[in-house]
Amino acid sequence: MYRHGQHGTVTSGPLCAVLRPIYVLQVLLLAGAGLLLPTVCSFVLLAFHLVFVWLKAADEEAYLLATHGEAYRAHIVRTGRLFPKL
């Protein structure tokens, strides 16, 4: 556990299977909406969102690598960006 003012890499617990669980949930929500309302617009929106989420996650990873160094690099190797590594 981290105290106020401390930062670190969380490498255990239920949300450690992917680096960006909130982004995964956003993509799943839009995919579900696309299945409920299967239009071209729904799937185009999902595709755009996936691309922009991927780019945002890459940007965040660059920042976290610069901030946390090798500890974060080791976590990236074990964990999937948006989808769990099998």
Side-chain angles (χ1 to χ4, degrees), residues 37-84:
L37 184 63
T39 64
V40 172
C41 183
S42 297
F43 293 111
V44 168
L45 180 64
L46 176 62
F48 272 110
H49 186 74
L50 188 58
V51 167
F52 290 123
V53 161
W54 192 268
L55 293 172
K56 177 66 175 162
D59 183 54
E60 289 176 2
E61 285 176 21
Y63 168 77
L64 290 169
L65 274 170
T67 303
H68 298 288
E70 286 305 313
Y72 192 73
R73 186 179 311 280
H75 185 54
I76 288 174
V77 169
R78 292 188 309 269
T79 310
R81 178 179 283 170
L82 296 179
F83 304 102

Side-chain angles (χ1 to χ4, degrees), residues 14-32 46 49-50 53-54 57 60-61 79-85:
L15 299 178
C16 70
V18 293
L19 293 172
R20 304 285 174 266
I22 191 75
Y23 295 165
V24 173
L25 294 174
Q26 289 175 355
V27 169
L28 289 175
L29 181 69
L30 282 174
L46 176 62
H49 186 74
L50 188 58
V53 161
W54 192 268
E60 289 176 2
E61 285 176 21
T79 310
R81 178 179 283 170
L82 296 179
F83 304 102
K85 285 188 176 176

